[in-house]
Amino acid sequence: MIQHTFGLLVKPSSQWKTVGELSESSFRTLLLYPWILAIIPAVAWYYGTTHVGWTVGDGETIKLTKDSAMTICILFYITQVVCLAAIGYFIHWMSDTYGAESTITKGIIIASLAATPLFLFGAVGFYPILWLDLLIGIVAVCWAVYLMYLGIPIVMDIPEERGFLFSSAVMGVALVILICLMVGAVILWDFGAAPAFTD
């Protein structure tokens, strides 16, 4: 799993080719990948929001209570994994349309590997500085989108033109899921998952 993580950051094309040649049993083993890497941003943001805190302008440092941060970070961890599973399902579901052979497992692995930059750069949560976190977040999202567009045609063994359309459809699904997450977050706030700040 470690080789996939660093390979996708430094030599993504060859790493996707390696992933495309994996057996079905290897794909099933890689299902642990999102469960393990999703821990990084969840733990980072728990620590950053409870021990370091953040400031707005010249104001005082803002921190969350440990109980509130724990609830939010557990929900954050679960949400990461569920969203990748949903995107992976839709990759599998749309594969016939684009002439690719797929399984749900393969779809989840493609989505999870493409999200590698988001997992790794989530470590900025250890020291939350708004402008820096936003800048790094934008870079992580751009790299993840690039990995998705690069990886789908290689792993699915389809022409690049079809792969581009397939990847664009997957990005559309991801945006819909993002909007659902925003609505879900507002609803969860009403059910007790709202952040509680320290005095």
Side-chain angles (χ1 to χ4, degrees):
M1 288 187 205
I2 301 289
Q3 72 180 26
H4 296 309
T5 303
F6 292 108
L8 287 168
L9 295 177
V10 296
K11 45 179 183 173
S13 292
S14 60
Q15 194 60 51
W16 277 123
K17 287 174 185 170
T18 302
V19 171
E21 294 166 359
L22 293 175
S23 64
E24 184 61 30
S25 61
S26 298
F27 273 114
R28 283 195 293 272
T29 303
L30 273 176
L31 283 174
L32 290 173
Y33 188 84
W35 289 97
I36 294 169
L37 262 69
I39 293 171
I40 296 171
V43 169
W45 283 102
Y46 173 79
Y47 179 85
T49 55
T50 56
H51 293 83
V52 179
W54 68 97
T55 57
V56 179
D58 294 328
E60 295 182 4
T61 301
I62 303 167
K63 294 181 184 177
L64 295 180
T65 63
K66 290 186 178 180
D67 289 342
S68 174
M70 180 64 74
T71 301
I72 292 170
C73 288
I74 288 171
L75 289 171
F76 177 43
Y77 174 76
I78 293 168
T79 301
Q80 291 177 85
V81 176
V82 170
C83 287
L84 288 172
I87 293 170
Y89 171 79
F90 279 104
I91 290 174
H92 166 66
W93 182 70
M94 292 187 287
S95 61
D96 283 344
T97 306
Y98 297 96
E101 291 185 12
S102 179
T103 62
I104 294 176
T105 304
K106 186 185 267 190
I108 292 171
I109 297 310
I110 291 172
S112 300
L113 291 173
T116 297
L118 300 174
F119 291 139
L120 296 180
F121 294 160
V124 297
F126 279 114
Y127 196 74
I129 301 172
L130 184 60
W131 67 269
L132 179 62
D133 294 351
L134 284 174
L135 184 64
I136 293 174
I138 290 169
V139 171
V141 168
C142 291
W143 191 253
V145 170
Y146 168 72
L147 288 178
M148 182 69 76
Y149 275 90
L150 183 66
I152 282 184
I154 293 173
V155 177
M156 292 296 192
D157 195 24
I158 56 177
E160 285 187 15
E161 298 79 14
R162 238 184 294 160
F164 179 82
L165 295 173
F166 193 169
S167 301
S168 299
V170 172
M171 288 296 112
V173 168
L175 288 173
V176 171
I177 290 174
L178 176 63
I179 293 167
C180 292
L181 280 179
M182 294 167 71
V183 173
V186 172
I187 293 170
L188 283 173
W189 279 30
D190 287 339
F191 286 96
F197 303 99
T198 58
D199 295 329

